[in-house]
Amino acid sequence: MPLVFSVTNTGKSSLTLQLLGRTPSADFQVSDPDGRRVWSLLGGNTLVSVLQLFPLDGGKVLTFRQIWNQHTDAGLAVTPGEYLIRGVLLTDAPGGLASPPAHLTIER
Amino acid sequence: MSHPSLRSLVCVATVLALASCQNDSNPNSPNTGAPNALGSQGPSNLPSAAELDRQVPGFGGFFLDQDGTPTMYLTRGASPAAANRVFSGYMAARGLSAVRVLQGQYGWKQLQRWQDAATIDALAISGAVYVDNDERSNRVTIGVENLAVEGQVRAAAERAGVPREAVIVQRVDPIIQVATLQNVVDRPVRAGVQINFPGFLCSVGFNATSGTQKSFVTASHCTTKQGGVESTPYYQPLQSVDGTVIATEVADPVYIKGGAGCPKGKLCRYSDASRAAYANGANQALGLIAQTSGANNGSLTITGSFSITSDDCSTTGGCLASGTTVNKVGRTTGWTSGAITNTCVNTGVSGSRVVLFCQTFVSAGVGGGDSGSDVFQVTSGNNVKLAGVLWGGNSGGTQFVFSPFGNVTRELGALTTH
């Protein structure tokens, strides 16, 4: 399943973001309706802890794309049901900057 | 199990804009809004002093008393009717009947003019702290560190045209800018404070002398190019705050491809560490690590220093056992502390071809910008044993990874740290 996470500067002036890593990084996180994590793109990875000063001009969009193979962190296929998907921009803030969740139903 | 029905694109998005965040209750959004000037005392829609001056004849100042009752200075003869009208909704919501009125001597606008006039001369005097149009006293209040300068500031106010009886001089504590790991211009430079190289932020690892060269150690990826020397310039805390280059990269061994134990297609080293030589040797605070108010409390305010009094062993992988409590001080998450969970871990770095041999994992907080931080063990009081250089962590910010001191000296050579 293709996933797209976009971060938009809706203002008119440029913002300098402080983003984790040598290149901008985002996590994709899938959870069940109770908030239990099912899958995370970066779960278990070790990331360098440098901060990039990343200017994002007014009206510009930073986009991340990823494929989720509908497996859990443990590598098992997920069961049918409701899921929530968030994109998380990794910044200097704890937890990063998360999108509102997108709702997803896996039917079979 | 297959899911043939799932072919659609899932899109999630977030927006960034300073203005849009001010009333945002989403805890994941950055809080950039200004605090409510009235704090918890009242709603943000109470009128400003300038607005009250326009609406209330004889207005001399306004504040909420300790019970939350609107209290207003009115000059002699002024009617409270306008004041009660302005605050009718606010008072009705709180079961109050009328604005509390105090006899004022001066109008607010007059006091504002006097404040502006007195500021120029009074704040030029050493020891003067502030000049205020004080809404609680209906006077111009001048704060001074020491009453020995009271005569000077009163004279200055009089020269500015402010009547002597309209001025209150009071002793106050000086206002000190809080120095944090992120904003301090730290000279000499201690470990743990922010450094800036073009386009990026990291932390000073530890000060070290190599031969006679005064230097600091930070992460290898806190250089223009990870591996190899490109003479990366460093500023502290930011180039935009102090444009003087404090140090230049002088050592960052290249990552080896195909060496012993290095996986195919990977680039390997024993430490993610580099060394930068100070432009001015006097800027090196050898053996000192900036200290905040406590471990794991989130504070970035510098309250003192740790002193390095010993180093971990020079053995690859270090000599600190799993379960040992270690600490780090870095510009993003400050002083964090936790137990070593894994030692001598061969570690692949996410998003790169880099593999680091024999690294140490710690269950403690970390965030972007902490790269390069000093890692140490507290031995007694503020005395510490240097353990290594932090370079990474997990995406949840709950586990950091560091290169042990022995790995650092294996690649950068012998270093004097205290």
Side-chain angles (χ1 to χ4, degrees):
Chain A
M1 169 174 296
L3 308 174
V4 179
F5 172 39
S6 60
V7 179
T8 305
N9 179 359
T10 59
K12 292 182 178 176
S13 53
S14 181
L15 294 174
T16 298
L17 308 179
Q18 297 189 355
L19 303 183
L20 180 77
R22 295 289 304 223
T23 56
S25 301
D27 197 9
F28 288 88
Q29 299 173 353
V30 179
S31 60
D32 67 18
D34 295 326
R36 286 185 291 263
R37 193 172 92 180
V38 173
W39 174 80
S40 165
L41 172 66
L42 296 176
N45 285 13
T46 301
L47 315 168
V48 293
S49 298
V50 65
L51 271 185
Q52 183 179 14
L53 301 171
F54 187 88
L56 187 63
D57 291 340
K60 296 294 184 184
V61 182
L62 184 60
T63 302
F64 303 89
R65 299 176 187 277
Q66 189 58 42
I67 302 291
W68 179 41
N69 65 3
Q70 300 155 56
H71 283 63
T72 67
D73 281 335
L76 304 172
V78 296
T79 56
E82 301 287 327
Y83 293 91
L84 304 174
I85 300 180
R86 287 179 187 271
V88 180
L89 184 66
L90 302 183
T91 69
D92 65 335
L97 182 62
S99 72
H103 295 258
L104 172 72
T105 302
I106 295 180
E107 296 177 345
R108 57 193 171 95
Chain B
M1 181 182 292
S2 65
H3 305 291
S5 62
L6 292 172
R7 290 288 180 269
S8 61
L9 192 68
V10 175
C11 296
V12 290
T14 194
V15 297
L16 298 164
L18 289 174
S20 70
C21 297
Q22 291 192 352
N23 294 308
D24 194 341
S25 60
N26 181 349
N28 291 310
S29 296
N31 178 10
T32 57
N36 181 346
L38 293 166
S40 59
Q41 295 284 346
S44 59
N45 60 355
L46 279 173
S48 66
E51 184 66 26
L52 287 169
D53 187 63
R54 282 191 291 272
Q55 295 191 29
V56 181
F59 172 67
F62 163 78
F63 60 97
L64 297 173
D65 73 8
Q66 58 186 9
D67 300 323
T69 302
T71 304
M72 185 178 292
Y73 279 100
L74 294 177
T75 53
R76 186 179 300 276
S79 166
N84 285 320
R85 188 169 58 248
V86 169
F87 286 100
S88 59
Y90 178 87
M91 292 188 296
R94 288 158 180 78
L96 302 171
S97 58
V99 170
R100 183 172 166 237
V101 174
L102 301 174
Q103 176 72 55
Q105 296 298 311
Y106 309 103
W108 179 83
K109 195 172 285 180
Q110 176 64 70
L111 288 166
Q112 195 70 17
R113 283 195 290 268
W114 285 339
Q115 177 195 16
D116 293 342
T119 294
I120 298 168
D121 285 341
L123 279 190
I125 296 167
S126 178
V129 177
Y130 63 72
V131 179
D132 180 31
N133 172 357
D134 187 355
E135 59 270 61
R136 287 180 176 269
S137 65
N138 190 235
R139 297 287 189 279
V140 172
T141 300
I142 302 176
V144 295
E145 289 181 39
N146 189 321
L147 287 174
V149 299
E150 178 179 359
Q152 292 179 62
V153 297
R154 283 195 176 279
E158 283 195 58
R159 285 197 302 276
V162 187
R164 189 172 187 81
E165 58 275 17
V167 174
I168 296 172
V169 177
Q170 60 186 30
R171 201 209 73 79
V172 297
D173 290 331
I175 308 298
I176 301 167
Q177 186 177 35
V178 175
T180 73
L181 297 167
Q182 297 181 2
N183 71 16
V184 66
V185 180
D186 207 37
R187 305 290 185 274
V189 180
R190 287 171 290 184
V193 299
Q194 175 175 297
I195 46 172
N196 169 213
F197 64 101
F200 296 91
L201 301 176
C202 282
S203 301
V204 173
F206 56 88
N207 286 295
T209 301
S210 174
T212 58
Q213 192 171 51
K214 295 183 176 181
S215 325
F216 67 75
V217 170
T218 188
S220 164
H221 68 262
C222 294
T223 61
T224 300
K225 182 171 181 288
Q226 184 174 9
V229 175
E230 311 81 37
S231 303
T232 304
Y234 292 96
Y235 305 88
Q236 198 285 316
L238 283 170
Q239 183 178 9
S240 58
V241 173
D242 185 339
T244 305
V245 173
I246 63 157
T248 303
E249 174 199 9
V250 291
D252 182 14
V254 295
Y255 288 70
I256 304 297
K257 186 177 179 182
C262 191
K264 186 178 180 182
K266 299 292 185 180
L267 299 167
C268 299
R269 266 184 56 178
Y270 282 85
S271 75
D272 186 337
S274 63
R275 185 171 64 84
Y278 279 104
N280 175 359
N283 281 339
Q284 185 196 53
L286 192 67
L288 294 185
I289 299 169
Q291 183 181 33
T292 62
S293 58
N296 304 324
N297 67 5
S299 173
L300 300 178
T301 301
I302 299 171
T303 58
S305 299
F306 291 108
S307 293
I308 299 170
T309 55
S310 61
D311 303 326
D312 191 23
C313 65
S314 58
T315 306
T316 299
C319 294
L320 297 174
S322 179
T324 304
T325 296
V326 293
N327 308 261
K328 80 96 182 53
V329 176
R331 59 82 62 196
T332 301
T333 58
W335 176 10
T336 62
S337 176
I340 292 174
T341 57
N342 304 78
T343 61
C344 209
V345 185
N346 297 329
T347 310
V349 182
S350 179
S352 78
R353 291 195 296 154
V354 171
V355 169
L356 293 162
F357 295 132
C358 213
Q359 306 297 294
T360 305
F361 286 18
V362 179
S363 179
V366 63
D370 285 335
S371 270
S373 301
D374 47 278
V375 180
F376 56 91
Q377 179 188 31
V378 176
T379 50
S380 68
N382 290 331
N383 293 337
V384 305
K385 174 191 284 186
L386 185 64
V389 171
L390 181 154
W391 58 264
N394 62 353
S395 60
T398 58
Q399 178 187 61
F400 71 70
V401 185
F402 74 92
S403 297
F405 184 71
N407 298 34
V408 174
T409 54
R410 174 183 177 139
E411 297 187 323
L412 298 185
L415 300 169
T416 301
T417 66
H418 58 280

mmCIF file of all heavy atoms in Angstrom, chain B residues 119-159:
data_model
loop_
_atom_site.group_PDB
_atom_site.id
_atom_site.type_symbol
_atom_site.label_atom_id
_atom_site.label_comp_id
_atom_site.label_asym_id
_atom_site.label_seq_id
_atom_site.Cartn_x
_atom_site.Cartn_y
_atom_site.Cartn_z
ATOM 1 N N THR B 119 12.774 56.489 30.392
ATOM 2 C CA THR B 119 13.540 55.313 29.988
ATOM 3 C C THR B 119 14.899 55.697 29.406
ATOM 4 O O THR B 119 15.920 55.071 29.699
ATOM 5 C CB THR B 119 12.740 54.500 28.946
ATOM 6 O OG1 THR B 119 11.580 53.980 29.580
ATOM 7 C CG2 THR B 119 13.562 53.352 28.378
ATOM 8 N N ILE B 120 14.905 56.741 28.597
ATOM 9 C CA ILE B 120 16.130 57.096 27.873
ATOM 10 C C ILE B 120 17.273 57.396 28.836
ATOM 11 O O ILE B 120 18.374 56.862 28.701
ATOM 12 C CB ILE B 120 15.859 58.307 26.949
ATOM 13 C CG1 ILE B 120 14.798 57.923 25.911
ATOM 14 C CG2 ILE B 120 17.158 58.773 26.281
ATOM 15 C CD1 ILE B 120 14.245 59.100 25.132
ATOM 16 N N ASP B 121 17.017 58.223 29.847
ATOM 17 C CA ASP B 121 18.099 58.610 30.760
ATOM 18 C C ASP B 121 18.269 57.623 31.913
ATOM 19 O O ASP B 121 19.391 57.324 32.315
ATOM 20 C CB ASP B 121 17.825 60.007 31.333
ATOM 21 C CG ASP B 121 18.106 61.101 30.305
ATOM 22 O OD1 ASP B 121 18.828 60.799 29.330
ATOM 23 O OD2 ASP B 121 17.599 62.220 30.471
ATOM 24 N N ALA B 122 17.148 57.138 32.449
ATOM 25 C CA ALA B 122 17.256 56.293 33.648
ATOM 26 C C ALA B 122 17.930 54.961 33.343
ATOM 27 O O ALA B 122 18.768 54.484 34.119
ATOM 28 C CB ALA B 122 15.862 56.060 34.241
ATOM 29 N N LEU B 123 17.569 54.343 32.232
ATOM 30 C CA LEU B 123 18.155 53.033 31.928
ATOM 31 C C LEU B 123 19.603 53.138 31.448
ATOM 32 O O LEU B 123 20.281 52.134 31.305
ATOM 33 C CB LEU B 123 17.314 52.279 30.892
ATOM 34 C CG LEU B 123 16.073 51.564 31.428
ATOM 35 C CD1 LEU B 123 15.467 50.666 30.367
ATOM 36 C CD2 LEU B 123 16.362 50.754 32.684
ATOM 37 N N ALA B 124 20.059 54.372 31.238
ATOM 38 C CA ALA B 124 21.472 54.552 30.890
ATOM 39 C C ALA B 124 22.357 54.459 32.134
ATOM 40 O O ALA B 124 23.573 54.344 32.030
ATOM 41 C CB ALA B 124 21.671 55.898 30.193
ATOM 42 N N ILE B 125 21.745 54.509 33.311
ATOM 43 C CA ILE B 125 22.504 54.473 34.571
ATOM 44 C C ILE B 125 22.773 53.023 34.966
ATOM 45 O O ILE B 125 21.849 52.191 34.981
ATOM 46 C CB ILE B 125 21.716 55.206 35.676
ATOM 47 C CG1 ILE B 125 21.582 56.695 35.314
ATOM 48 C CG2 ILE B 125 22.384 55.011 37.040
ATOM 49 C CD1 ILE B 125 20.576 57.431 36.163
ATOM 50 N N SER B 126 24.007 52.727 35.271
ATOM 51 C CA SER B 126 24.366 51.375 35.687
ATOM 52 C C SER B 126 23.615 50.999 36.958
ATOM 53 O O SER B 126 23.613 51.764 37.933
ATOM 54 C CB SER B 126 25.877 51.300 35.919
ATOM 55 O OG SER B 126 26.227 50.013 36.362
ATOM 56 N N GLY B 127 22.964 49.872 36.945
ATOM 57 C CA GLY B 127 22.200 49.431 38.113
ATOM 58 C C GLY B 127 20.713 49.640 37.962
ATOM 59 O O GLY B 127 19.930 49.097 38.754
ATOM 60 N N ALA B 128 20.297 50.422 36.954
ATOM 61 C CA ALA B 128 18.867 50.570 36.685
ATOM 62 C C ALA B 128 18.378 49.323 35.952
ATOM 63 O O ALA B 128 19.044 48.838 35.038
ATOM 64 C CB ALA B 128 18.601 51.810 35.840
ATOM 65 N N VAL B 129 17.252 48.778 36.383
ATOM 66 C CA VAL B 129 16.776 47.495 35.844
ATOM 67 C C VAL B 129 15.606 47.685 34.889
ATOM 68 O O VAL B 129 15.562 47.094 33.822
ATOM 69 C CB VAL B 129 16.379 46.542 36.990
ATOM 70 C CG1 VAL B 129 15.821 45.231 36.454
ATOM 71 C CG2 VAL B 129 17.574 46.272 37.898
ATOM 72 N N TYR B 130 14.625 48.521 35.294
ATOM 73 C CA TYR B 130 13.485 48.730 34.397
ATOM 74 C C TYR B 130 12.793 50.046 34.707
ATOM 75 O O TYR B 130 12.973 50.632 35.788
ATOM 76 C CB TYR B 130 12.477 47.574 34.466
ATOM 77 C CG TYR B 130 11.810 47.355 35.802
ATOM 78 C CD1 TYR B 130 10.843 48.242 36.303
ATOM 79 C CD2 TYR B 130 12.104 46.222 36.556
ATOM 80 C CE1 TYR B 130 10.217 48.018 37.512
ATOM 81 C CE2 TYR B 130 11.486 45.984 37.777
ATOM 82 C CZ TYR B 130 10.547 46.888 38.251
ATOM 83 O OH TYR B 130 9.931 46.679 39.463
ATOM 84 N N VAL B 131 12.000 50.511 33.744
ATOM 85 C CA VAL B 131 11.125 51.672 33.913
ATOM 86 C C VAL B 131 9.741 51.235 33.481
ATOM 87 O O VAL B 131 9.563 50.742 32.359
ATOM 88 C CB VAL B 131 11.597 52.872 33.061
ATOM 89 C CG1 VAL B 131 10.650 54.053 33.244
ATOM 90 C CG2 VAL B 131 13.030 53.258 33.421
ATOM 91 N N ASP B 132 8.764 51.382 34.373
ATOM 92 C CA ASP B 132 7.437 50.803 34.140
ATOM 93 C C ASP B 132 6.341 51.831 34.357
ATOM 94 O O ASP B 132 6.380 52.588 35.336
ATOM 95 C CB ASP B 132 7.252 49.617 35.110
ATOM 96 C CG ASP B 132 5.901 48.934 34.945
ATOM 97 O OD1 ASP B 132 5.374 48.928 33.810
ATOM 98 O OD2 ASP B 132 5.387 48.403 35.936
ATOM 99 N N ASN B 133 5.373 51.863 33.456
ATOM 100 C CA ASN B 133 4.102 52.548 33.726
ATOM 101 C C ASN B 133 3.314 51.551 34.559
ATOM 102 O O ASN B 133 2.699 50.631 34.026
ATOM 103 C CB ASN B 133 3.393 52.879 32.413
ATOM 104 C CG ASN B 133 1.983 53.417 32.640
ATOM 105 O OD1 ASN B 133 1.491 53.501 33.771
ATOM 106 N ND2 ASN B 133 1.323 53.785 31.546
ATOM 107 N N ASP B 134 3.348 51.729 35.888
ATOM 108 C CA ASP B 134 2.898 50.685 36.813
ATOM 109 C C ASP B 134 1.390 50.793 37.048
ATOM 110 O O ASP B 134 0.915 51.687 37.755
ATOM 111 C CB ASP B 134 3.663 50.815 38.129
ATOM 112 C CG ASP B 134 3.380 49.677 39.083
ATOM 113 O OD1 ASP B 134 2.518 48.840 38.760
ATOM 114 O OD2 ASP B 134 4.016 49.638 40.151
ATOM 115 N N GLU B 135 0.651 49.855 36.465
ATOM 116 C CA GLU B 135 -0.807 49.894 36.569
ATOM 117 C C GLU B 135 -1.301 49.625 37.981
ATOM 118 O O GLU B 135 -2.448 49.903 38.308
ATOM 119 C CB GLU B 135 -1.439 48.889 35.597
ATOM 120 C CG GLU B 135 -1.034 47.440 35.779
ATOM 121 C CD GLU B 135 0.176 47.075 34.955
ATOM 122 O OE1 GLU B 135 1.252 47.671 35.173
ATOM 123 O OE2 GLU B 135 0.065 46.186 34.105
ATOM 124 N N ARG B 136 -0.458 49.111 38.865
ATOM 125 C CA ARG B 136 -0.874 48.835 40.243
ATOM 126 C C ARG B 136 -0.611 50.008 41.198
ATOM 127 O O ARG B 136 -1.060 49.979 42.340
ATOM 128 C CB ARG B 136 -0.156 47.594 40.771
ATOM 129 C CG ARG B 136 -0.693 46.309 40.153
ATOM 130 C CD ARG B 136 0.023 45.089 40.682
ATOM 131 N NE ARG B 136 -0.570 43.875 40.142
ATOM 132 C CZ ARG B 136 -1.559 43.191 40.728
ATOM 133 N NH1 ARG B 136 -2.050 43.606 41.870
ATOM 134 N NH2 ARG B 136 -2.062 42.115 40.159
ATOM 135 N N SER B 137 0.155 51.013 40.739
ATOM 136 C CA SER B 137 0.447 52.135 41.635
ATOM 137 C C SER B 137 0.099 53.495 41.044
ATOM 138 O O SER B 137 0.193 54.509 41.740
ATOM 139 C CB SER B 137 1.936 52.120 42.022
ATOM 140 O OG SER B 137 2.740 52.352 40.870
ATOM 141 N N ASN B 138 -0.274 53.507 39.751
ATOM 142 C CA ASN B 138 -0.581 54.767 39.083
ATOM 143 C C ASN B 138 0.621 55.717 39.137
ATOM 144 O O ASN B 138 0.492 56.919 39.311
ATOM 145 C CB ASN B 138 -1.822 55.419 39.729
ATOM 146 C CG ASN B 138 -2.358 56.602 38.944
ATOM 147 O OD1 ASN B 138 -2.499 57.699 39.476
ATOM 148 N ND2 ASN B 138 -2.674 56.401 37.685
ATOM 149 N N ARG B 139 1.807 55.115 39.031
ATOM 150 C CA ARG B 139 3.046 55.884 39.032
ATOM 151 C C ARG B 139 3.997 55.287 37.987
ATOM 152 O O ARG B 139 3.772 54.188 37.481
ATOM 153 C CB ARG B 139 3.763 55.804 40.405
ATOM 154 C CG ARG B 139 2.986 56.404 41.580
ATOM 155 C CD ARG B 139 2.969 57.936 41.509
ATOM 156 N NE ARG B 139 2.414 58.540 42.724
ATOM 157 C CZ ARG B 139 1.108 58.674 42.986
ATOM 158 N NH1 ARG B 139 0.204 58.207 42.129
ATOM 159 N NH2 ARG B 139 0.709 59.268 44.095
ATOM 160 N N VAL B 140 5.072 56.006 37.724
ATOM 161 C CA VAL B 140 6.181 55.433 36.959
ATOM 162 C C VAL B 140 7.123 54.788 37.976
ATOM 163 O O VAL B 140 7.630 55.471 38.872
ATOM 164 C CB VAL B 140 6.927 56.509 36.144
ATOM 165 C CG1 VAL B 140 8.202 55.920 35.521
ATOM 166 C CG2 VAL B 140 6.016 57.075 35.063
ATOM 167 N N THR B 141 7.296 53.489 37.872
ATOM 168 C CA THR B 141 8.157 52.774 38.808
ATOM 169 C C THR B 141 9.485 52.456 38.133
ATOM 170 O O THR B 141 9.515 51.917 37.021
ATOM 171 C CB THR B 141 7.490 51.461 39.270
ATOM 172 O OG1 THR B 141 6.254 51.807 39.910
ATOM 173 C CG2 THR B 141 8.378 50.710 40.248
ATOM 174 N N ILE B 142 10.545 52.794 38.828
ATOM 175 C CA ILE B 142 11.892 52.503 38.318
ATOM 176 C C ILE B 142 12.540 51.485 39.263
ATOM 177 O O ILE B 142 12.658 51.738 40.464
ATOM 178 C CB ILE B 142 12.749 53.773 38.220
ATOM 179 C CG1 ILE B 142 12.053 54.812 37.305
ATOM 180 C CG2 ILE B 142 14.148 53.442 37.685
ATOM 181 C CD1 ILE B 142 12.782 56.137 37.214
ATOM 182 N N GLY B 143 12.901 50.357 38.706
ATOM 183 C CA GLY B 143 13.560 49.320 39.502
ATOM 184 C C GLY B 143 15.060 49.477 39.430
ATOM 185 O O GLY B 143 15.613 49.722 38.354
ATOM 186 N N VAL B 144 15.718 49.370 40.593
ATOM 187 C CA VAL B 144 17.186 49.471 40.629
ATOM 188 C C VAL B 144 17.751 48.297 41.425
ATOM 189 O O VAL B 144 17.113 47.796 42.351
ATOM 190 C CB VAL B 144 17.659 50.804 41.270
ATOM 191 C CG1 VAL B 144 17.239 51.981 40.418
ATOM 192 C CG2 VAL B 144 17.137 50.951 42.692
ATOM 193 N N GLU B 145 18.949 47.876 41.033
ATOM 194 C CA GLU B 145 19.587 46.761 41.753
ATOM 195 C C GLU B 145 20.001 47.176 43.154
ATOM 196 O O GLU B 145 19.999 46.370 44.078
ATOM 197 C CB GLU B 145 20.837 46.289 40.999
ATOM 198 C CG GLU B 145 20.550 45.575 39.708
ATOM 199 C CD GLU B 145 21.844 45.122 39.042
ATOM 200 O OE1 GLU B 145 22.765 44.682 39.764
ATOM 201 O OE2 GLU B 145 21.920 45.221 37.815
ATOM 202 N N ASN B 146 20.369 48.467 43.300
ATOM 203 C CA ASN B 146 20.893 48.951 44.567
ATOM 204 C C ASN B 146 20.353 50.365 44.792
ATOM 205 O O ASN B 146 20.459 51.219 43.898
ATOM 206 C CB ASN B 146 22.428 48.969 44.511
ATOM 207 C CG ASN B 146 23.038 49.249 45.856
ATOM 208 O OD1 ASN B 146 22.528 50.079 46.626
ATOM 209 N ND2 ASN B 146 24.121 48.563 46.164
ATOM 210 N N LEU B 147 19.818 50.630 45.988
ATOM 211 C CA LEU B 147 19.222 51.945 46.248
ATOM 212 C C LEU B 147 20.269 53.060 46.280
ATOM 213 O O LEU B 147 19.904 54.240 46.352
ATOM 214 C CB LEU B 147 18.430 51.911 47.553
ATOM 215 C CG LEU B 147 17.100 51.145 47.458
ATOM 216 C CD1 LEU B 147 16.436 51.025 48.826
ATOM 217 C CD2 LEU B 147 16.146 51.822 46.469
ATOM 218 N N ALA B 148 21.533 52.692 46.214
ATOM 219 C CA ALA B 148 22.582 53.709 46.157
ATOM 220 C C ALA B 148 22.452 54.568 44.894
ATOM 221 O O ALA B 148 22.941 55.702 44.859
ATOM 222 C CB ALA B 148 23.962 53.060 46.200
ATOM 223 N N VAL B 149 21.795 54.039 43.860
ATOM 224 C CA VAL B 149 21.649 54.822 42.623
ATOM 225 C C VAL B 149 20.282 55.511 42.538
ATOM 226 O O VAL B 149 19.941 56.098 41.509
ATOM 227 C CB VAL B 149 21.882 53.953 41.355
ATOM 228 C CG1 VAL B 149 23.294 53.380 41.354
ATOM 229 C CG2 VAL B 149 20.843 52.852 41.237
ATOM 230 N N GLU B 150 19.510 55.468 43.655
ATOM 231 C CA GLU B 150 18.170 56.077 43.628
ATOM 232 C C GLU B 150 18.236 57.548 43.232
ATOM 233 O O GLU B 150 17.441 58.021 42.414
ATOM 234 C CB GLU B 150 17.483 55.922 44.991
ATOM 235 C CG GLU B 150 16.106 56.591 45.022
ATOM 236 C CD GLU B 150 15.407 56.430 46.362
ATOM 237 O OE1 GLU B 150 15.982 55.780 47.263
ATOM 238 O OE2 GLU B 150 14.276 56.942 46.502
ATOM 239 N N GLY B 151 19.181 58.287 43.834
ATOM 240 C CA GLY B 151 19.288 59.711 43.539
ATOM 241 C C GLY B 151 19.562 59.966 42.065
ATOM 242 O O GLY B 151 18.978 60.867 41.453
ATOM 243 N N GLN B 152 20.417 59.143 41.477
ATOM 244 C CA GLN B 152 20.753 59.329 40.059
ATOM 245 C C GLN B 152 19.542 59.090 39.167
ATOM 246 O O GLN B 152 19.292 59.842 38.223
ATOM 247 C CB GLN B 152 21.865 58.355 39.648
ATOM 248 C CG GLN B 152 23.224 58.632 40.272
ATOM 249 C CD GLN B 152 24.242 57.590 39.827
ATOM 250 O OE1 GLN B 152 24.534 57.485 38.643
ATOM 251 N NE2 GLN B 152 24.763 56.829 40.770
ATOM 252 N N VAL B 153 18.769 58.045 39.464
ATOM 253 C CA VAL B 153 17.633 57.767 38.576
ATOM 254 C C VAL B 153 16.508 58.778 38.798
ATOM 255 O O VAL B 153 15.817 59.153 37.851
ATOM 256 C CB VAL B 153 17.114 56.319 38.732
ATOM 257 C CG1 VAL B 153 18.168 55.304 38.333
ATOM 258 C CG2 VAL B 153 16.592 56.036 40.106
ATOM 259 N N ARG B 154 16.354 59.251 40.033
ATOM 260 C CA ARG B 154 15.332 60.287 40.253
ATOM 261 C C ARG B 154 15.698 61.561 39.496
ATOM 262 O O ARG B 154 14.850 62.211 38.874
ATOM 263 C CB ARG B 154 15.182 60.575 41.747
ATOM 264 C CG ARG B 154 14.390 59.520 42.501
ATOM 265 C CD ARG B 154 13.954 60.018 43.878
ATOM 266 N NE ARG B 154 13.119 59.033 44.549
ATOM 267 C CZ ARG B 154 11.819 58.860 44.314
ATOM 268 N NH1 ARG B 154 11.196 59.625 43.415
ATOM 269 N NH2 ARG B 154 11.133 57.954 44.973
ATOM 270 N N ALA B 155 16.967 61.901 39.552
ATOM 271 C CA ALA B 155 17.418 63.100 38.830
ATOM 272 C C ALA B 155 17.223 62.922 37.324
ATOM 273 O O ALA B 155 16.805 63.858 36.622
ATOM 274 C CB ALA B 155 18.894 63.359 39.150
ATOM 275 N N ALA B 156 17.488 61.723 36.855
ATOM 276 C CA ALA B 156 17.315 61.456 35.430
ATOM 277 C C ALA B 156 15.850 61.594 35.034
ATOM 278 O O ALA B 156 15.520 62.150 33.977
ATOM 279 C CB ALA B 156 17.831 60.051 35.096
ATOM 280 N N ALA B 157 14.955 61.100 35.899
ATOM 281 C CA ALA B 157 13.522 61.195 35.605
ATOM 282 C C ALA B 157 13.068 62.649 35.591
ATOM 283 O O ALA B 157 12.283 63.060 34.726
ATOM 284 C CB ALA B 157 12.740 60.387 36.630
ATOM 285 N N GLU B 158 13.597 63.417 36.526
ATOM 286 C CA GLU B 158 13.216 64.838 36.565
ATOM 287 C C GLU B 158 13.704 65.566 35.322
ATOM 288 O O GLU B 158 12.991 66.387 34.758
ATOM 289 C CB GLU B 158 13.782 65.492 37.836
ATOM 290 C CG GLU B 158 12.979 65.138 39.089
ATOM 291 C CD GLU B 158 13.309 66.051 40.270
ATOM 292 O OE1 GLU B 158 13.150 67.278 40.133
ATOM 293 O OE2 GLU B 158 13.714 65.512 41.291
ATOM 294 N N ARG B 159 14.914 65.238 34.904
ATOM 295 C CA ARG B 159 15.428 65.861 33.672
ATOM 296 C C ARG B 159 14.550 65.516 32.472
ATOM 297 O O ARG B 159 14.426 66.282 31.521
ATOM 298 C CB ARG B 159 16.863 65.387 33.393
ATOM 299 C CG ARG B 159 17.916 66.009 34.280
ATOM 300 C CD ARG B 159 19.320 65.821 33.686
ATOM 301 N NE ARG B 159 19.652 64.426 33.491
ATOM 302 C CZ ARG B 159 20.149 63.623 34.443
ATOM 303 N NH1 ARG B 159 20.361 64.106 35.656
ATOM 304 N NH2 ARG B 159 20.426 62.367 34.189
#
